[in-house]
Structure formats: C-alpha cells, structure tokens
Amino acid sequence: MLFSSLVFLFVFMPLLLGQYYLASSKLRNLVLIGFSLFFHAWGGIGFTFILFLSIVFNYFIAREVGKGGPRRKLYFQLGLAGNVLVLLVFKYLDFFVDNTNSLASLLGADHELLHHFNLALPLGISFFTFHQMSFLWDIYRSNDYGKLKFADSVLYVSFFPQLIAGPIVRYKDIIGQIKDRTETAALFHSGIWRFSLGLFKKLIFANTFAVIADEVMTKDPSVLTSSGAWMGILAYTLQIYFDFSGYSDMAIGLARMFGFRFMENFNFPYISTSIKEFWRRWHISLSNWFRDYVYIPLGGNKGSNSRTYFNLLVVFLLTGFWHGASWSFVFWGLFHGFFLVMERLGLDKLLNRVPKVLSWLYTMVIVMIGWVFFRIENFRLAARYVYRMLKCDTGSKYSAIRFLDNEKMVILALGLLSCTGIFLFLQQKARAAFPAILGPETNSYALLKGGLALLMFGYAVLTLNSGSYNPFIYFRF
C-alpha cells in the first residue's frame, strides 16, 4: 500500500487514527501493530509471514543475548548470521546463480550449472532486516532498555511508516517512545504539515521528473546529444531526491501523528561541496547505520591510513550491494568509496582552497555520474550513457529541450531551488522580520501553515486522482 494512494489517504489512515485515539493508552500500541501488519499484508500475505517469522526469531535471540552469560556472544553472532542469510536467500541468490553460470560459461561449460530460484522479494526486506540487526546490536551492547517485551519488538520492526523504506530507526533511539510517549496537538499538527509536504514532493516533483528521466534514460544512449543525456540524469537526480526525501517526510509526519519522533533522513544533500559532506546529508539513517554497525566495528579510522581506506571501501561496497543485486550497484558503492578515499588522501584540502562553486560542481558531477549506474542496472549500458554525457556531441537527434515543455520547465526550476534550501531560508527571514504575525506561537502562523498544508494536500490529491503517480523508488530495495 502506497502512502500516495487514495485507499491509504481516505480509508486506511482515517480508520487507524479513529481507532488509535478511541483506544486507551494501554491498547494503542496493539492498534498500531494490527494496522501495521495489515499494511504490510496488503502487498502479500506470504511476505507478512516472512516478516513475522523474522520478528519471532530475532526476539528469542535478543532475549538470550539479554540474559548475559557465556553464550551471549554466540547467540548474538547466530542472530546476525540468520538475518544476513535471509537477505542472501531472498535478495542475492539469483545474482550468485547468474554469476556462477557466467563464470562456468567462460571456463567452457556448455550448459548452466545452476537454475534460478526466482524467489519473490519480500516488501521492505532490506529495511526490516537492518532494523532487526540494530535490535540485536543494541541489546548486545547494553542491557539498559528494561525487560524485553514481544509486543515492543513487533511494533519496533513492523511500525508501518518506516517498514517499507525507512528511515532506519534504531532500537535504542525508539524503545523509550514505544514504552512511553505523549501525543500532543502540536506534534499532531506538525505531522500533518510534514506528511503534506512529503506527499507534494512525491506527486508534484518526483513524478514529473520521473517522466523526463524515463523518457530519456530508456532510449539507446547513441540517439542522445550530450545535453539530452545530462537532462536525463539531472531529472533522475531530482527524482530520486524528491521521491525518497518525500517518503521520509511522510514517514516522519505519520510517526508524529502517533506521538513518535523519528530522526531526519535528508539535509539538502545537493548543496554539498564534497562526497564526504554528501553522505552526511543523504539517507542519514543508512549512513549512520553503516558507520555504527560496520565501519566502527571494523576499526573505523583508529588504525593506519591504509586500514581506514580499506574500511571505507568495505562499507561502500556493502552499501552498494545492499541497494541491489547487480554489478552496477556494486560499482556505484565503490565509486563513492573511491572518492571518499581520495578526499582523505588530500583532495579535501584542495576542495577547501578552491571557490565553493568549483567544489560543488565536482561533487554534483560525481554524484550524477554515480546515479547513472544506480538507475541503469545494465553496467555496459550505463557506461555508454556516461560516455554520451561526456562526449559533448550535438549532432544526435534528442537534445535536452526535446524533453521539456512549459510546465516541466517551471517544475524543474522550482525543484532546483527547493534543493538549495532557499525557501526555508526565506521563511526564516520572514519570520524574523514579522515575529508578531509569523512567530511560531502565533495563531496567524498556525493558520497560514495549516492553509498551505491543505493546499499542498489538495493539489497532490487532484494529481493523484488523475492517475499520475508511480511507486516509490526505494520500495524495490
């Protein structure tokens, strides 16, 4: 079930909110669990069975880890191995089959050694598995979270706003809110605002850029001019940002409606002036997860320089592989890892000395070339697309202007401005200039913000009602 669907907006959410706030405080978590499992089951009952088995397995492992004793570490390692095995089987098994058969063919085999399993990918498996691993890590590192309750662990993993595509909320950060939280009118209103903003980003910005990106990047690169190729990847660069940050906004907003506070997941990543800064601003919950549960356990930057570079490359190899079972994703991860190493080797000092616009251009070119391999999973085709971007060819058929009309140009301009944070800057300036009208506690500001939220929601729904929408990009991970 999509957040940006009529059934979610006008059936699921009204029923859930009504049931939740009519229930006593002791029963509200059970209401959330029931609706969350139904939300997941909407995509397939079998998928929910796998999710529930994962929850049960990790709960009993965590209970054994929490007891302490000589087998504590063994249970912890068993739990991690079990979660990794689930990912390997459902997400990567056919990838290994493909590569084994390709290698056998190169060595002279005249038939396939292995047959494909063609297992359906359970919804949100990468995200809920990382939540489970966070659960085990946090229990292993500390026993300060009180007695484990099965219902708490079920809600932690299955809570529908973050279940399918994050943000990745760590157990230690949320368990206190699961056990005891206060729902307030102010938090609920801020949740409505944030959800409406995310819905607007998805349906107005992301879906418009998706049309351009699909039209350009599904063509053979040879028919594109250099400007046409750059237009395609610019559209995809904006699409993936507004799509995923829009989803995160909606997840954060929904959580606030039920008294939860989720961490921010994006902080204007496209204003970054280095790849290091980009990863501090992009998909923050995933970056923090890999930092705390992979990079630091590997040694982080505590050892020699060469060990630090190795650790970075391992983390970004896994980051790419986590996103998908293809060599393009692996390359995308290592591509970013390579430039992070280069910045540690001294490139960052050069970036600090040159004008900010040059370091920003460097960052965006690297990010956009990386997105080509993220979008086009066929590695050779992606490489041909990058070649077309860099060739500076103006003689082919499809130039940038062929993919734009007046409406798309307006949305493109607004999207580019939104990525800079200029609208947030102007809002802050206006509130400082007119505190009596736009102060955070004033009725006029609340009315203005509520009206704007209603306007964004209404316009987004009109767009949705026309059938102009597509699933979130990160649903396939």
Side-chain angles (χ1 to χ4, degrees):
M1 188 186 302
L2 297 173
F3 293 165
S4 53
S5 66
L6 294 175
V7 68
F8 179 86
L9 295 171
F10 296 106
V11 180
F12 181 87
M13 273 305 295
L15 286 174
L16 172 54
L17 287 169
Q19 190 72 25
Y20 181 84
Y21 281 101
L22 286 173
S24 66
S25 58
K26 291 182 179 180
L27 295 177
R28 286 180 175 179
N29 281 356
L30 294 179
V31 171
L32 289 178
I33 289 172
F35 274 83
S36 294
L37 292 176
F38 177 81
F39 176 87
H40 193 266
W42 189 269
I45 298 291
F47 294 155
T48 306
F49 182 67
I50 293 167
L51 169 67
F52 194 74
L53 284 179
S54 173
I55 291 171
V56 171
F57 169 78
N58 282 279
Y59 170 72
F60 282 106
I61 290 291
R63 240 183 25 167
E64 295 302 317
V65 171
K67 290 178 182 177
R71 295 188 176 182
R72 180 169 177 264
K73 186 174 183 180
L74 177 62
Y75 278 111
F76 169 66
Q77 292 172 336
L78 175 64
L80 291 184
N83 284 292
V84 171
L85 181 62
V86 168
L87 274 181
L88 289 177
V89 169
F90 283 100
K91 194 166 183 177
Y92 303 106
L93 194 57
D94 280 340
F95 175 73
F96 290 123
V97 168
D98 283 335
N99 284 279
T100 300
N101 288 335
S102 296
L103 180 60
S105 178
L106 287 174
L107 295 175
D110 58 358
H111 64 280
E112 291 186 345
L113 294 182
L114 301 173
H115 295 290
H116 290 88
F117 292 84
N118 296 318
L119 297 175
L121 186 66
L123 292 171
I125 188 170
S126 295
F127 286 94
F128 73 68
T129 302
F130 268 32
H131 278 92
Q132 302 281 28
M133 295 171 77
S134 166
F135 176 42
L136 296 180
W137 266 110
D138 290 345
I139 295 298
Y140 181 71
R141 288 174 173 175
S142 175
N143 290 319
D144 297 335
Y145 306 119
K147 183 180 179 181
L148 287 175
K149 293 182 179 180
F150 183 64
D152 292 346
S153 64
V154 175
L155 182 56
Y156 164 64
V157 176
S158 69
F159 188 34
F160 76 93
Q162 48 78 38
L163 175 60
I164 305 298
I168 300 171
V169 182
R170 288 183 286 186
Y171 182 76
K172 67 178 183 180
D173 296 330
I174 202 68
I175 184 58
Q177 298 179 53
I178 290 175
K179 292 179 179 295
D180 182 28
R181 63 186 179 277
T182 302
E183 301 91 349
T184 66
L187 190 61
F188 189 92
H189 291 157
S190 73
I192 293 175
W193 163 259
R194 196 64 180 270
F195 180 86
S196 300
L197 178 63
L199 186 67
F200 188 86
K201 282 168 133 180
K202 165 61 179 170
L203 294 176
I204 308 305
F205 286 119
N207 285 0
T208 299
F209 299 134
V211 171
I212 303 172
D214 289 347
E215 189 177 357
V216 178
M217 301 188 76
T218 54
K219 295 187 184 301
D220 189 295
S222 63
V223 305
L224 300 172
T225 64
S226 178
S227 69
W230 278 103
M231 174 53 66
I233 196 55
L234 173 62
Y236 184 73
T237 298
L238 294 170
Q239 178 198 355
I240 194 170
Y241 169 67
F242 284 108
D243 189 281
F244 195 22
S245 70
Y247 182 94
S248 294
D249 286 339
M250 283 187 269
I252 291 168
L254 288 167
R256 289 179 182 177
M257 293 181 199
F258 302 103
F260 290 91
R261 291 171 172 84
F262 282 179
M263 71 175 294
E264 295 296 333
N265 211 23
F266 290 88
N267 183 23
F268 300 107
Y270 293 156
I271 66 171
S272 302
T273 54
S274 68
I275 299 301
K276 181 180 180 181
E277 183 184 358
F278 173 79
W279 279 102
R280 288 176 176 170
R281 293 174 175 272
W282 176 271
H283 203 344
I284 299 168
S285 63
L286 180 68
S287 300
N288 290 352
W289 195 98
F290 273 107
R291 180 196 66 200
D292 293 344
Y293 299 127
V294 180
Y295 182 67
I296 291 175
L298 284 173
N301 55 6
K302 301 288 186 184
S304 63
N305 288 337
S306 58
R307 178 67 191 190
T308 298
Y309 306 149
F310 172 79
N311 293 342
L312 278 171
L313 290 174
V314 168
V315 165
F316 277 88
L317 169 66
L318 294 176
T319 299
F321 205 44
W322 176 84
H323 278 87
S326 78
W327 289 113
S328 286
F329 284 119
V330 171
F331 175 82
W332 172 78
L334 289 175
F335 184 69
H336 278 267
F338 170 78
F339 282 97
L340 284 168
V341 170
M342 293 300 294
E343 288 176 11
R344 281 183 172 268
L345 284 170
L347 181 57
D348 59 339
K349 296 177 182 177
L350 175 62
L351 294 173
N352 289 332
R353 287 199 295 264
V354 301
K356 286 292 184 184
V357 66
L358 293 181
S359 55
W360 172 78
L361 281 172
Y362 146 81
T363 304
M364 287 309 302
V365 167
I366 298 305
V367 168
M368 291 171 75
I369 289 175
W371 284 142
V372 173
F373 293 90
F374 198 94
R375 171 64 172 78
I376 304 174
E377 294 186 26
N378 182 301
F379 185 85
R380 290 183 179 179
L381 190 60
R384 287 178 57 207
Y385 191 96
V386 172
Y387 173 75
R388 180 59 59 178
M389 288 166 60
L390 303 178
K391 190 180 179 184
C392 297
D393 177 21
T394 60
S396 298
K397 185 176 180 181
Y398 292 98
S399 61
I401 197 64
R402 289 286 300 270
F403 304 101
L404 296 174
D405 55 30
N406 291 338
E407 180 184 356
K408 288 174 183 175
M409 283 192 283
V410 170
I411 293 177
L412 178 63
L414 290 174
L416 289 170
L417 288 173
S418 297
C419 288
T420 67
I422 191 170
F423 294 124
L424 181 61
F425 172 79
L426 292 174
Q427 176 194 344
Q428 291 170 345
K429 287 292 185 182
R431 291 176 68 179
F434 306 100
I437 301 174
L438 299 177
E441 305 300 328
T442 61
N443 291 331
S444 55
Y445 178 71
L447 287 172
L448 180 62
K449 196 169 183 179
L452 185 56
L454 184 62
L455 186 64
M456 289 191 298
F457 181 84
Y459 187 64
V461 168
L462 287 175
T463 304
L464 178 62
N465 200 37
S466 70
S468 174
Y469 78 100
N470 60 307
F472 292 93
I473 291 173
Y474 265 69
F475 271 22
R476 63 194 180 102
F477 303 134

